[in-house]
Structure formats: structure tokens, C-alpha cells
Amino acid sequence: MIANIPYLTVAGLIIIGLYTLLFKKNLIKMVIGITILQSGVNLFLITLGYRMGSVAPIFTGNADNPVMSYPVPQALTLTSIVIGVAVLALMLSLVIHIYRHHGSLHVSKLGGDDQ
Amino acid sequence: MLAFVITTIVCFITYLLFTTGSGDIAGLWSIEELLIGLILSLITGFISQTVFVKDEDVRMANPLKWLLFLVYAIGPFFVSLAKANVDVAYRVITGKINPGIVKIHPNLKTDLSVTILANSITLTPGTLSVDIDEENNDLYIHWINVDEQAIKQTPIDCKYVCGSFPQWIRRIAE
Amino acid sequence: MIEMMLETFETGTGYWHPLVWVTAFVIIFLIVYIIRGFGEKKYKKGTGQTQAFLSGNKEYDKQLMHVQSSNLYWGWTEALKWIIDVLKKMHTGNVSDYVLWFVVVMGILLLFVGLM
Amino acid sequence: MNQRNILAAAFLTIVAVFLMFSALFMHPFGEPTSQAMDQYIIDNTVGETGANNGVTSVVFDYRGFDTLGEATVLFTAVASVVMLFRRLKK
Amino acid sequence: MMPLADEYLIVLIILSLAIVMAMIRIILGPTAPDRVVGLDTINTIVIVSMVVFGAIFEQVIYIDVAIVYALLSFVSTLYIAKYLQGGEY
Amino acid sequence: MILLDAIHIILPLLMIVSALIAVYLKDLVAATIALASMSLLLSLEFYILQAPDVAIAEAGVGAALTTAILILAIKATKRTEEEEE
Amino acid sequence: MITIITGIIYVLLGIGVFFNILASIGLLRFPDVYTRLHAGTKCTTFGSIFIIGSVIILGLRSWYFGDVNGSVLAIHSMGALLAILVTNPTGAHAIARAAHKSGVKPAQAVIDTLEKEDNS
Amino acid sequence: MKGMSTIVKTIANIGFPIITIYGLYVIAHGHLTPGGGFQGGAIVASGLALLAVAHGTSWVESKVKEHDLSMLESLGALGFIGLAFLGLLMGGAFFSNFLVDTSMLFGAIPVDGAANINTGGTLPLMNFAVGLKVIAGLFAIVLVMAIATNKEED
Amino acid sequence: MNIVDMLLTHAPALTIAIPLLGAFLTPLISRVSEKGRNIFAIIIVGITALFVFLMASEILANGPMTYVFGSTAATVQQSTVIRILFEVDALSIFMAIIGIILSFVAVVYSYAFMEKNTGLDKYYTLLLLMTTGMLGMMLTGDMFNFFVFLEITSIASAALVAFWTNKAKAVEAGFKYIVISTIGALFVLFAIALLYGQYDALNMAKIAQSLGISGFTFIDKIALVLFIAALAMKGGLAPMHMWLPDAYGQAPASISLLLIGATQASLYGLFRIVFTVYGEVISLPAISIGWILVLLGLITMLIGVIMAIIQTDFKRLIGYGAVAELGYMALAVGTGLTIVANADPNITLQTAPFAMKAITGGLFHVINDALDIGLLFLVAGAVYYATKETSLNKLGGLARNMKYTTIFFIIGLLAVSGLPPFNGFASKLLIYESTYQLNPILSIVAILSSILLLAIFVKVLHSVFLGPALPKYETVREVPKSMLLAMAVIAGIIIVFGLFPQVIVTNLVEPAANALVNNSGYLQWLTGGF
């Protein structure tokens, strides 16, 4: 109806996240990119469950059989958000450790042994 | 102990406010709600008794003080807030500013009263509390339109900056 | 169970029975052991026979004798230098390059599968 | 702009184009086409779980096991962070 | 939908203009405190929008979200402010 | 309904813009602020898409905790993003 | 009755929107952090009071007409408003203090007592 | 320098019980209104983080230790999985909602949308278990990372 | 209902719940006693292993088990699947057996290997969580649940890779691993969401059924590509394998062992998605998905061996060896998929026997790879434990002091390079002969990389164990008994599998291969009920 703009937003957020991961050289910036990517996926899940003119799937007892948005994607998104914050915390603590070892956050400090 | 009771009561009242419309007691609450609310308030009171109530603030338990606070909030405070906004509107449109940071000595004793004053100042005409001197509760105020006469003495007189607020607050919180 | 263990392992075109192999191994070991027994008589401990020699010279220091692993297969690495260099260049250890490879593979697969 | 960045930009563009296209092929926004699972849950959540909130009934009843997994993820993350900042010497 | 829904929606669309301007401040802001001010403004506007949306959808329980936001946006502001003023956590 | 649709268009655009700001800014604290504003708008979008549960979770996590953890990590490391090797 | 309330709501909404927009304009026009804080804090708070106030009036109206949900709407909106009123100035204070400590000077300042005392 | 200015401390002190009771309200009403264990837990944890930032980490450390938080988190997780096991024992399947539609505590089934806080079977109990776990877990993350920022190379 | 029946009914849930309970209890028990905690972890994994074997005997006798979480009532209501369910068929249980063996060996090995470190309560917690995640990925029949367990495994293993935080490289490897895992998992979630939006279902069987009805739409193709790319990255297929040597090389040896399980669980997810979920439509695209897998496998093998031959770090070298081994699986299963998918309609599995042989070989190689590479990692860990050194250039002459370790290494070496009579030979023989039927070049490349693997590990044997005894290592002693026991368990299994491959192939691998190829068995309960 409105040209699937929310889906395009999702695609946009995912592309911005991937762009950050590919082109930015700072570790914390990369973490931010992953957060953006995560937000895109979360938004996608929520948009899948939305129905035009619906209300949230919560029965308040004052309306008879309203159209309700889907509850399952919302539950999935909750799980996804928790997973997001868990991953974020772990990544940032690893970043702090990398900084303690190298004194820098540049991604090239993560050199392999093969060079 | 007193702190615990006060905290619990405050929490319980907050909880009751949030759960209006749940049942039939007084037209608003249900019995289960009250029970669970009481238990949760006890837990919260137990956790936060040491931070919520300082000894010098126990007098805030007096309901009269709250009434006074309400009067203050609706009366002088709201008027000043309205004035402040018109003032800021004027400055936004014209771009005329004459700012500076000044120091006032409101002569308040407790943390709570200073906090109320500072927040009131932040929301009222042309002033914004920037820093606080923790020893004698002096406030540093960013003043968007500095009065030339006021800055001749330091710390400057409160009446230029915040009108009658310190008196009100002393009556409320001390 | 035992019968199942002794079944032949069919692969479609061939088969493989490990017990046969093991039996062959045991027989070969026996033969080798017998041959070894022929030389045993002439071996005497405590003489120069037990000392190690390197092309007739005396053994070097242990540390010097140690062949480092990066020197092994020198010819192989030298011959395949071009491909090893390319591969080494690929393994930068840089995490954004890892993600790049992911995006590349995903792009190629999208082109191939998505357009079909 | 070295070789790597050109490669990255090219393939990122490909991926972007495909994602945008898939957005066009999705069902229209706000009008999901199939509804079997969710409609069942909406119809039965009060009767089967006794909860008004459909999301909570999904989170803790219909898909409670996912929530256990979610709690485990958080537990894992806390254990990991605490482990990473532990004291190394005894 | 509630009786005044359209008027409130127009209000919200105008408010999104305010969000755009605050976002410009986030882009431009020469120092980090400027950006925090922009964030604070967006915070307040979003809280207001949430309250208004709750009224528009006639779902009173939605207002809870606005309260949560009002209480918690403060936390992030404080963390940034504490970082900016220096010193240990 | 047309007005609600307009909001459904405006908010995603604002979100994209703030995500771009978060990527563009070199100062990591500023990037965090932009990320927080994106999280804020995302929460509002969830709210409009009739998912108040998720909006609360995103508010609690995105507004407060993500920002706090990111700021703590920046505090423990360093603030600016260096460009050269 | 209803038309009067509707009229009041229109007026409140108008004031609220005006001040919120003003806040953003001020945010763009003012020269430094402190003055921007003046705009960003006061005006948004004031605007929010009016917009949320209109919602509260709406809720009270429906409560008056016998809908219990109206009370919930009014009280919860009030809660949100109170939270804004408490946290906004405190946040502004924290930002101002942080800005001053991180070395941002007030632009066009005629006097800066705090700066003097820090140096002395 | 410890903590922030007096004003922030006072507001944090006043705000903390309010945030906590609100978070607990969200947890307890998880099956009635938006929210639930995770959201309420995140709110309370944010309140604790507010105290931590206002008063400084060392002040918090003098009140609560990180391994206490770990213990609390374990307890919450054990409560959650214990409820799941109870479902196995009493309801016949892992995670089955064995309390619903019994006349025990939390056991009633709401009639046409009039659910109350005592309906929902095991859902409110699970909400509380997850809430405890999330409070302890998220606050432990913030606390540990805040301590890590203070410590230099060891 | 007696107790055994009840345990059997609930075995799929208990397999996950018991290690989880153990993980939650570990911090509490760690307060009481350190040694008790170690024993407790071993006991927990042992009980889990019992449940896995109980389930295996049931499934191999009576076909797939399903377990519905949260209800005893039927899950299929109005032809939709509401609740989460575990669906354990022969393939799942085959993978679960591998996982639980690895986990058991790892926890026994850790007893002595890790004792000098701090933070061991968290270590054991995370190890149990990793086991949980791995088993969950293998047993679940629900898409989103798969994602959740994928994340549990990723987070726990990333933290464990960085366990030695004083080593910069370990922390870096952990960071790389978590970034890669998160991106992979997010794309998996995105693909799940795409499928969910299409069919409003999250159950794998239900999605497979819906896919069969609706055909192969564009969205399904995108989702398939995302699944393949993300899971192949998590499964370590080239050219997205680079995180693997980093992570394997820097983790503690017991964790490297478990990482093999995690990697193979991702690979299992890939196979499951391609064969079961997309099973109805997989032959539709003109370019077979099978060829993609074959190509990925070929590249993986070649890159793995060529990079391994120039490595100088013990564990990193084995990591590249593991990459090469992963290539074999992808190659074999891809070959099978190609033959199955591209066959004429009148050529069924019976007339195209090489497909079955290839898939059997691939799956058999999964367990062989886990054992062989696992044994090598344990030996590397033992060497590290004894000498605190992993650089091949500095090690030498250890065979004099570490006899048993040397013997275990030789067993691993021969097994991994596919020499008879060890288990690697049996599976590789199957792979060579079946890939030859598709294209001779494939089997030539496979044989070539086997030879190179032998060369690589002979190099390791020479530089670590043979050669003159270096004065630095004269005081080195044999490692403690529990580590030797762990290695001996794996070595024993290797020898048994090598001598009697037919037993394992008929009883475990062929049912698994049948379950993989035949998705109708997996979908059976949807139409027929329980």
C-alpha cells in the first residue's frame, strides 16, 4: 500500500551495517555496524507481523474481536534484542582487551600469522 | 526502620497510581493487586531504603509540605516557566544574547532543597545551573542575559537570578 | 555383532576388509623381525657402533642438528610460490576482509541462484 | 580506492540490489498473506494460557523453550564478560 | 480511532520536523555536548509522540512505554555526560 | 489513514539518516549518540507497528544499556577513530 | 461542553507544537552549548507539558463520561510528564557541567565566574 | 573524583525506587500489559546503572559484589528451568503450563478479557524468575565493564 | 508408564535440559569445592551422554522421535504447528553422538589440562553451555530455535577462544570469531524471517511442506542463498574459512575439540536446510545447489592443505588441516545432492547408488574428521601442557620423553591422512569412489589433498617428536593420566572404527544418510499425526 517502504528501510539498514563492517577501520565502529544490522533484522521481523489497522495482541476487554498484529514475530524480536545486547557486551569486552594489548583500535592490528 | 517504612509507602502509592482501574476496591483496585503491590513495595523499600531517605529529609514526610510544593509548582514556578519560554522564544527569533556564568549563594542547607532549586532555575527564565559547589551549596548559573548591575558583587544576589524561589524552597524542604 | 564386524565393507565398485590388511601387516612384521634377527648378533653395545655419525663425521651439537620445520618441503614451497603467495595475500587476518569474502560469496550465489 | 574497496563496493551493490528486489517481492506491507499459526494464537491465548498479553503467552508458553534459550544467551554473555575480566593470577 | 486522531497526527508530523532539526544539530554539533543536547531534544519529542500515539490508538496500556522511555533516556544522558566530564566511573 | 502512512514513511527515513550519521561521524562518542537516536526512533517505529512489548525492550536496552556499555567501552579505549594505519 | 474541551485541546496543541518547533529552531540558531541547552530543555519541556496536558484532558473527559480507561490514560500520561519534568533539567545540568569540565567556553560571555575560580 | 554532582545524586536517589517499583510493576503485569520479565528486568537494571553512574562504581562495589550478582543470576535461571522441570513432572511435558486452569494460586482462567494478576498459570512466576535473572545479569555486565574502565593494564 | 519409558519419552528435552541445569548449578557448586565442580561437570556430561545413547537406540529401532515443548496435546492444530518441537531422526542423533563424544572427551581432558588457570568456574559453565548449544542445534526441529542455539554456541565458544586473555592473539581470534558468528547468525535470522513472512511457520517440516505446495519463489531463493552463505561461513568452507585457523589455533586444546563440534553443527544445519527444508524443491533451479557445495568443497580442500603446509604453528597447522577435512564433507554431500537432484525422474536412488554412497561417505567422514582432528588437537594441547610451546620451529625430540603422546599422534596422523587400517581410510575410500562417478577430477583432487595431508603431518611428526632431543626439553615429562585417558578414548574409537567400519556404517551412517536424502520421513508426522 505504501510501496513497501518499511521493507526498503530494512534493506537499507542491513546495507549500512554491511558497509560499516566492510569499509570502516575502527573496531568500535564495526561493533556499531553490527548493531545497525541487528536493528534492521529486528525491524524486519516486526514489520512482518504488522497488519493494517491492527492493535497489539493484548486483550483489554473493551473491544470486541479487534484486528490484532501477529504475536509470534514480536516474541522472536524480543529474543533477538536480548541476544543483541549479549553479543554487544561480549564484543565490547573483547575490544577493550585488544586495546589493552595493542594500544590501538585499528582493524589492521588484527593481523594474521600468515603474512 | 523509619526510612524503610517511608520508602515502602512511597513505592506503594506509586504502584497504586500505576494500577488504577484494575478492580473494585474504591472503584479502582482489586485485592490481588493490592497484595502483590504491597509485597513488591516491601522488596523495593528494603533495597532502596539507604538511598531514598536521608536523615535530614525525613521531614518531607509531612503532607503539608507536599501541598506547599504543589502550590509552588502550579503558582510561581509555572508562571516563571511560561515567562522563560516567551523569553527564549524572543531570543530565538531575534538572536540577541548576552550570556555569562555567575555564582549565587542561595543559603540552602540540604541536598534536596538545592536540587529543587537547581532544577527550578534550569526551567525558568534565561538561567541554567551549570555547576555546584558542594561545600557551601553555591550554584554556578549560566545566565543568558546578564544584568550589568548584578555582576558588580560576587556571589551576586539571588533575586536577580531566581526571584523568590529560595524562600519558597526553604519553606518546602527545610 | 561379531558377524557384523567381520562383514566386508563395500564401496560400490570396490571393497575393503581391514582384517585382511592387518593380517598382511602382521606377516610383514614377522618377516622383518626375522631379518632383523640376522644382524643382531654382530651388534655390540659400548663400542663405536652405537655412536651417531653424520657422513662419517662426528655428530654436531643437538641444537645445530635440529631441522626447523620451516625448512622442510623447501622445494615444494619454492615451486608453488606463486600460488602460496596469492593465498597468503588472501589470509590477511583482518576481520573486515573476512566479511568481504562473505559478501563476495553471497553476491555470487545471489547472482547464480537468484537469477535462475 | 584500491582493488579491495572496488571489489567490496561492487559486491555490496549486488547484495543491495537483491535485497531491495526481495523487498518488492514480499507480500504488501501490512497485509500478511498467510496467517495460520498467528491467528490460532490470537484466538486461543486467553483460553489456553490465561494471559491477556498474547506476546507474553507466546514468549513463556507457546515458545517458552526459546525464552529458555534467550535466558541462556544472557547467562552466557554475563559469564563470558565476567570471565574475560577475571584476575589472571591466583 | 479516537475523535481527534487526525489533528494529533498532524501534530506528530510537525513534530517530526523538530526531530529533523535536532538531527541536523547532531550532524553539525561541533562538540559532543551539542550532540547530546540534540539527543535530549529527540528524546523528549519521542516521549511526547508515544503518549500521543497511545491516545490515538485508544490503547491506554501503551503509555507505559512512554514512561519507561522518560525514566530511562536520562540514564544514557548521564553516562555520556559523565564520560565528557572526565574522571573515573 | 493517509496521515498514519505518512508517518510510516517519515520515521524509516529518519532512521536511515541517523544510521548514516552514526556511520559517518569520526568521533565515537558522537557516533554512539547517533546510534542512540536511531535506537530511539526504532523504538518509536516498533510502537507504531503495534508492538509495545518490543518497544519497551528496545527502550530499556537501546536507550539505556547499549549506550552505557558503548560509552564504557569508549572510556576504556579511546575516543577518536584513527584513519591511517 | 465537548466543543469547549475540543477548543481547549486545540489551543493547548497549538502552544505545544509552537514551543517544540521553537526549541528545534533555537537548537540550530544559538551559538554554543549553554544557550542551546536553554532552548532544548525549557522549550521542549514546556511544549511537552501542553501536548501531554491535552492528552490528560482527553483522558479526564472520557473518565468523566464513565470510561475507566480514561483514568488510566490520564494518570499514566501524568506519570510520563512528571518523569520528563524531573529528568530533563537534571540532564541539562549534567550536560552543562560536563561541557564546562570538558573545556567548552560559553560563547560571547561577558562574565565567567566559574572559569575564574577554576583557574585560581 | 567520585560520582557526579549533588543534584544528579539526589535525583538518582529519588528516582531509583520509582524506577525499581515501576520495573517490578512491569514484571508483575507481564501477562496483562506490555512488558514482562525481560523488559522489567532491563528497567530495574537501568535504574541500578543510574545509581552506579551517579555515585561511582566504588560506592556500588561497597554495597554489592559481582559474584553475588552471579549467584542471583544463577538463582533466577534455576528458578526458570525449575519451573520448566515442574511442568515435566506435573504437566507431562517440559515447559507445560501446569498451573493454568487449576483452582490454585495463579490458576484461574479469565472470562472474556477480564484477566487479572492472578491468572496466567506459570507465566507470572516465570516472569519473576526471568526478571531476577535479567536484573542481575545486565547489571553485572555494566558493573564489570565499569570496573574494567578504571583498571589499567595489570 | 514405568520410569524408563518416561525417561525415553522425555529424552530429547532432558538432553538439553540437563547440561543447562548443570551450567546453572556450576557457579553454586564452585563455591563449595573446586574439585567437586570438575567432577560435577564430568558427571553432567556423562548423564547427557547416557540420554543421547538411549535416544539413539530408540530412534535406530523405531524411527524419528518428536518431542513437543509445553504441551502433551497434539501440536498440529488446524494443520499448523504452534509449539516448538524437537524432531530427532537418525541424522540428528548421529550428529548428537559426535557432539557428546567430543564434549565428554573435552571435559575429561580439561580436568588436568586447565587446572592451573583462574576463572575455571566460568570455564566449566561455558563449556557446558557450549555442549548445550551444540546438541540443541542438532536436535531441534524449529528454525528460530536453531538460531537461538547457534547464538549460544557462538557466544560461549567465542568467549572460550579468548580464554587466555593475556595472549593478544587469543583475544583477537575471539573477536574475529564473534564478529563472524554474529553476522552469520544475523543472516540466518534474516532468512528465517523471509521464510516466516512467506509461510507463517517456523517449524522446519511445516516450511518444507509449504514450500512443496507453493513452488520455488524468488524470496525462497534469496533465503536459500542467505542460509547457504551464512552457514557455510560458520561451517568453515572456503573462502570464508579464515576465522577457523585463528580460532582453532588460539583456543585451549579442549575448546578446539569442542569447536570442531560447533563447526560441524553448522554444517549439519546447512545440510538440513538444503536437504530437508528445501527438499521438495531443491532440484528445480537449473544450476544445482549440489554443484555449489562441490565447488566450495574443492576450494576448501585445496586451500586448506596448501596453507597448512607452510604453517609453523602447531595448532594453527591442525586448524588448516581441519579446513581441508571440512572440504571432504562438503564435496561428498554436494556430489550426492548433484546426483540426486539432477537425476532423471525415472532414475531413483536405487538406480543411482553412488549418490547414497557419496552421502554415506560424507557423513561418515564427519565423525572421522571429528575424531582424527580432535585427537591431533589433544596431542597439541598435551605438547603445549608439557613444554608451553606451540611453534614447530622450536619444538623437537619429544618422543623420548612423551611416549604415549607420540603414539597417539601417530595414530591421529595415519587416520587423518586416510591410511588404512584407520577410520579415515574407510570414509575417504567411499568419497573417492563415488565422486569419481560424477567427475574423475574431483576424486583426483581429493586423493591429492589426502596425500598432502600426510605430508603435512609427517612434517609435524618430524619436527615435534623426532629428531635429536633438545636440551631445553630434557626435563619434559609425560602429561597427567586424565589427559592420556581422554586421548586414549579417542584413539580407541579410531581404531575400532578403522577395523570394523561396516558396523558403524550399517548401524549409524546409513540410517543417517537415508534420513538426510529422504525428507518424507521427516515430514511424516505432519500428515500422519504422532
Side-chain angles (χ1 to χ4, degrees), chain A residues 10 14 18 21 27 31 34 37-38 41-42 44-45 48 70 72-73 76 79-80 83 86-87 90-91 94-95 97-98 101-102 109-114, chain I residues 144 147-148 151 155 158-159 162 165-169 171-172 174-176 178-179 182-183 186-187 189-190 193-194 196-197 200 202 250 307 311 316 320:
Chain A
V10 169
I14 288 176
L18 276 182
L21 280 161
L27 293 180
V31 174
I34 289 180
L37 190 58
Q38 178 109 33
V41 178
N42 288 348
F44 185 53
L45 277 166
L48 285 179
Y70 287 172
V72 174
L76 304 189
T79 308
S80 175
I83 289 172
V87 169
L90 179 59
M91 281 196 288
L94 287 170
V95 166
H97 271 290
I98 290 174
H101 282 294
H102 294 302
K109 287 287 183 293
L110 304 179
D113 311 308
D114 293 327
Chain I
F144 192 76
F147 162 76
V148 170
E151 282 282 8
I155 295 177
T165 48
N166 52 348
K167 297 203 308 192
K169 287 205 182 309
V171 181
E172 287 166 14
F175 182 75
K176 289 174 199 172
I178 189 68
V179 169
T182 312
I183 292 169
L186 280 178
F187 275 93
L189 179 59
F190 188 65
L194 283 172
Y196 171 82
D200 197 30
L202 287 167
Q250 297 300 331
M307 285 305 288
Q311 294 302 315
R316 196 174 166 82
Y320 277 108

Side-chain angles (χ1 to χ4, degrees), chain G residues 99-118:
Chain G
H100 204 279
K101 287 206 186 248
S102 67
V104 179
K105 302 272 182 300
Q108 310 167 19
V110 290
I111 178 169
D112 193 348
T113 323
L114 185 56
E115 184 69 21
K116 263 185 266 168
E117 299 209 352
D118 279 351

